[in-house]
Structures are given as structure tokens and as C-alpha cells.
Amino acid sequence: MSDEGRPQLPPRFDPRDLTQQFEQLLRTRRLNALAERPRSRQSSQYSSPTPSRQSSRHAPHPPPRPSVDTHSALPPYASLRNMPKIPSPPQDTNSIRFRSQLLSLSHGPQKYENAGLLDEALAVIPLDRIYGEAEDESQLLQAQAASIGPNVKPEWGYQDCVIRALLKWFKGLGMSPPTPDESARGAARVELYRCSDDACRAYERFPRYGDVWALLQTRRGRCGEWANCFSMLCRAVGGRVRWVWNAEDHVWTEVYSEQQRRWIHVDSCEGAWDNPRLYAEGWGKKMSYCIAFSADGATDVTRRYVRDASKHGLDRNRCPEEVLVWITDEIKKLRRENASKEDRRRLIIEDHREEKELRGYVLGALAAEIGRINISGQPAAPPAGEEQKLPERVSGDRAWRAARGEAGNHPPPPRDDERPPRREGQ
């Protein structure tokens, strides 16, 4: 059979080029939409001139126009979602309530700047062990980089290795019973639990401390207490930290890496380092808002942790997106008003660099999804080894994780009354 009779396959394309093409397409659409606005207004004003009095005598009356609802005449949100977001102050009740909540949360990281508290934290940390392990890892990374080439930088710097050693030590801390002076030590509330064993039925008090020093003493809490305490310890050893709040009841830490010039995800409960896809793609957790708070302001970092909003995202209905931009800008102004001119300039550069990084996550996920479409237009299975195997959640028992929707792709274990009967010899 000759080559002329064979069907010709379309040329292969490189998915890496799609990011640049997609950005150019968005710019063109935005410019076209902005250009059409004055044209539509101008045409609506001059398209129907006023007829003369003589011609109006013999012309039939036009049929009455149906009443148009101004709200229904507005363009749908789908046509405006790619337009630039202009910050707008909150107007409705939900937006005002969300603003108050975020402003309240933004006060937490200010405690990490307390010099006396940082000194107390340094007294708790085994500094010789932390710095020794960090020095060993740093030298190993430098040797690996030198073996690759003379101008190759190590993956992580020395300060990053200090935080990694601190994470390893903090994950291995034991738990001890709480002290009796709960209210005096900043417990926001106390949860009361009762033993389910009929022979026991004893009560257990679980104070939810908000004071970092109390957490260092009791070493007892959930993810909120662990992230709060670990963030303060990272600040004590010289790291720049963020406290990341998730609207679906989880918190973790971000530490700035001067080596890579970006914020690194750190979860002290899971012992996770630089694994932001852990929650959505490892746990199977659906999330709406992830807001990072620091001494320098607040940033919406949801795109770092939810790469594909159609699969792992929830509705963001606390406030309009323009209002959220206004709220985070307001918090940044409050936190940076006393900063020097050089610090403000540096923070603005970091903000622009991070925004570019967050946009890259969305465009990268879109390009990867388009690259998986086969010739027939149907989604194709990813090649073997392309997708990273992310771990499921390790903190908490399986039933509790499943009830929160954080058990990954694994079903919860059956209850005792649902287990099949054991056979002899098993």
C-alpha cells in the first residue's frame, strides 16, 4: 500500500508552548472586551435618530417595547471572569463579615515578633542538634551541586536546612497532660470529652490554647495549635514565616526560602516539606480559600494548593473576588505602614514574583490538561510515571479522616458490625 493511501496524522505539538499562547489569548480577549464597551454605548445613542414631525404623521406607531430588567440585561459572569479584578470595598453583609474574620486572623502572626517570646522559644529548642543536622545537610547539598557543575546552586540553602531540621524535631515531640490554669494561659475554649467505655465514663478536658507559650509547655493540640507553635519556632531561628488559614478547617505554615526566592509549604502535623498539592491531590480535600498571614500582610494563596479548581475546588462565595483583593490589600497596608521604604519596595517585588508564580500554576495545569487530549478530542490517560504519587493524611484515625473528606482515595475501614465473619483457620 502506498503512502498516498494512508491517513495523515496531525503534527504533534509541544504543550509547553500553550502557556504563552493562552496568555496572549487572554490579553486579546480583555482588550477586545474593553474596546467594545464605548462602541456599544455610542451605537445605542445614535443608532435611532429622532424622526421629523411630518414623517411621524404618516408613519405607523412602532410596537411597544417590552420592559427590560436591568439586572437581567447585564452580561453574565462567565463573560467577565477574565477581566482584570479592580479592588472594591465590601458592601453586603457577607463580605463585611468575611473582612472582619480575616482582619482578626491577621493579628495572630504579630505574636511571632515578640522578642521575649522568641527568647523563651529558643530556650526550648535543642539548638545544637538543629544546627548540627542543618550543617550536615547543607554540606551534602553543596557537594551534590558541585558534582553536577561549577555554577550549579544547591537546591536548598543553609536557612532552609535549619527549618527542615526543626520540622523533623518538632514532628517527634511527645504529648503531655494540660496544666490546670487554662483560662489564665489563654485557652480560647475547652472541649470536654467522655470515655465511651461503660466501665470508665470519665471526662477529659481539652483546652484549645491560643497562647504560644502555653502550647510550648503543654505540647498538646490539633493542627491549629501545632501550626501556631511551629511557626513561632521557625521565626525564633530566623525564618520568615506565614500562618496559612484554610476555610475548610486546616492550618499550616509557609517559610520563605531566600535560596529559591519563594514561599515553601511546611506542615508540622504531617512532617511535609514543599508539597503544596498534598491536601487536594493526596488527601482528596476540596478547598475554597487558603489565606496566608504574616507580619507583612495577607495573601490569597489558594492557587498554590488547588491547581485544578474544577476537581478540587469549592465555591468561593464568602465575598466577590474584587472584594477579597481589596481586603488583602487593606491588611498589607496596615502591616507595612511602619516599614522602611526599602522594605516596602522589596515586599512589592516579592508580591509581583509570587503572583506570577501563582498564575503559572493555573496555566501549567491547563496546559497539562490540554496536552493529555488525544487526536479524537477525548481526554487520554496520563503516561505511566507522569503523575506524582502523593501521600494520604497520616494524622488522625481513618474514620475521622474519612468523615472530613481527607482520606484520599481509600474508603474508611468497616465498623465491627459490618465486618464479614471470620472463617476457621483465618
Side-chain angles (χ1 to χ4, degrees):
M1 182 176 179
S2 62
D3 294 338
E4 297 178 356
R6 295 179 181 176
Q8 297 295 327
L9 296 177
R12 299 185 64 182
F13 63 93
D14 188 359
R16 292 174 295 183
D17 298 335
L18 293 176
T19 299
Q20 184 177 2
Q21 298 176 12
F22 183 70
E23 290 179 343
Q24 184 61 35
L25 177 62
L26 284 182
R27 294 192 195 100
T28 304
R29 290 185 59 186
R30 289 171 180 171
L31 291 175
N32 291 340
L34 291 173
E36 286 296 331
R37 284 186 174 182
R39 292 179 185 176
S40 60
R41 292 178 184 173
Q42 199 170 13
S43 60
S44 62
Q45 292 177 2
Y46 301 105
S47 59
S48 55
T50 306
S52 62
R53 187 175 298 179
Q54 182 178 0
S55 60
S56 62
R57 295 177 182 176
H58 305 284
H61 293 283
R65 294 184 179 180
S67 60
V68 180
D69 187 3
T70 56
H71 295 282
S72 62
L74 294 175
Y77 174 74
S79 64
L80 300 176
R81 60 185 176 186
N82 290 326
M83 299 293 292
K85 296 182 179 65
I86 301 176
S88 303
Q91 302 290 339
D92 58 282
T93 304
N94 291 335
S95 299
I96 295 174
R97 185 182 299 114
F98 193 45
R99 172 184 175 271
S100 300
Q101 182 181 11
L102 295 183
L103 284 173
S104 177
L105 291 171
S106 69
H107 293 295
Q110 303 304 310
K111 302 175 183 178
Y112 308 151
E113 305 303 315
N114 188 321
L117 188 60
L118 295 179
D119 291 339
E120 296 289 348
L122 288 174
V124 177
I125 302 174
L127 294 176
D128 293 339
R129 170 184 168 183
I130 299 299
Y131 290 135
E133 294 180 0
E135 183 66 28
D136 294 341
E137 184 181 20
S138 178
Q139 292 180 0
L140 178 61
L141 293 174
Q142 291 177 6
Q144 292 176 349
S147 64
I148 299 175
N151 298 324
V152 179
K153 294 174 58 177
E155 181 181 9
W156 304 109
Y158 174 74
Q159 183 62 30
D160 302 328
C161 296
V162 171
I163 302 298
R164 287 163 62 90
L166 184 65
L167 173 65
K168 181 180 177 181
W169 167 78
F170 188 81
K171 176 61 177 174
L173 285 179
M175 299 297 174
S176 61
T179 56
D181 51 342
E182 297 164 346
S183 59
R185 305 185 69 178
R189 65 183 186 274
V190 177
E191 299 176 2
L192 190 63
Y193 295 92
R194 190 173 187 180
C195 181
S196 59
D197 189 358
D198 294 334
C200 179
R201 307 299 289 175
Y203 286 96
E204 176 71 16
R205 298 175 63 83
F206 183 56
R208 305 299 303 273
Y209 288 117
D211 182 70
V212 181
W213 175 243
L215 296 174
L216 288 173
Q217 298 299 309
T218 62
R219 300 185 180 184
R220 184 173 184 175
R222 296 202 186 100
C223 60
E225 287 80 7
W226 281 61
N228 188 17
C229 186
F230 180 74
S231 299
M232 193 271 298
L233 295 178
C234 291
R235 189 72 187 100
V237 296
R240 292 175 55 195
V241 297
R242 278 174 169 177
W243 183 79
V244 184
W245 168 82
N246 167 239
E248 284 67 47
D249 192 24
H250 191 55
V251 291
W252 56 89
T253 306
E254 285 185 348
V255 180
Y256 190 79
S257 171
E258 297 290 348
Q259 183 79 0
Q260 299 201 8
R261 298 199 304 173
R262 64 182 178 92
W263 289 94
I264 306 299
H265 157 255
V266 187
D267 192 318
S268 57
C269 291
E270 303 295 305
W273 170 269
D274 195 22
N275 194 1
R277 295 163 50 202
L278 170 68
Y279 311 114
E281 302 175 37
W283 296 5
K285 183 181 181 69
K286 294 182 179 295
M287 298 183 288
S288 57
Y289 295 95
C290 298
I291 312 295
F293 299 97
S294 70
D296 300 319
T299 305
D300 181 9
V301 294
T302 309
R303 289 170 289 177
R304 178 175 291 127
Y305 299 94
V306 182
R307 305 293 174 87
D308 190 343
S310 62
K311 294 181 181 179
H312 308 116
L314 293 177
D315 292 338
R316 292 164 61 93
N317 51 17
R318 301 284 185 97
C319 71
E321 295 299 319
E322 294 78 8
V323 174
L324 180 58
V325 175
W326 190 91
I327 296 173
T328 54
D329 288 348
E330 179 189 18
I331 296 176
K332 288 178 182 177
K333 291 178 182 178
L334 290 174
R335 299 291 173 256
R336 301 177 184 181
E337 60 182 357
N338 296 325
S340 64
K341 186 177 181 180
E342 292 76 13
D343 287 340
R344 286 198 296 267
R345 185 185 300 111
R346 172 182 55 83
L347 292 172
I348 291 175
I349 294 175
E350 290 180 1
D351 292 341
H352 292 166
R353 187 188 302 129
E354 184 175 28
E355 178 60 27
K356 183 178 180 181
E357 173 196 349
L358 297 176
R359 286 200 307 265
Y361 291 138
V362 178
L363 295 176
L366 179 61
E369 190 68 24
I370 296 176
R372 295 192 186 103
I373 299 177
N374 56 24
I375 298 175
S376 62
Q378 300 296 326
E386 179 179 313
E387 292 192 350
Q388 178 186 0
K389 178 64 176 178
L390 298 173
E392 62 178 273
R393 184 168 189 171
V394 298
S395 57
D397 59 39
R398 178 63 59 82
W400 179 79
R401 284 177 276 162
R404 292 169 55 90
E406 300 171 356
N409 298 322
H410 305 279
R415 301 191 304 268
D416 292 337
D417 56 350
E418 295 177 345
R419 300 181 184 274
R422 294 172 59 93
R423 296 181 180 178
E424 294 295 333
Q426 289 185 341

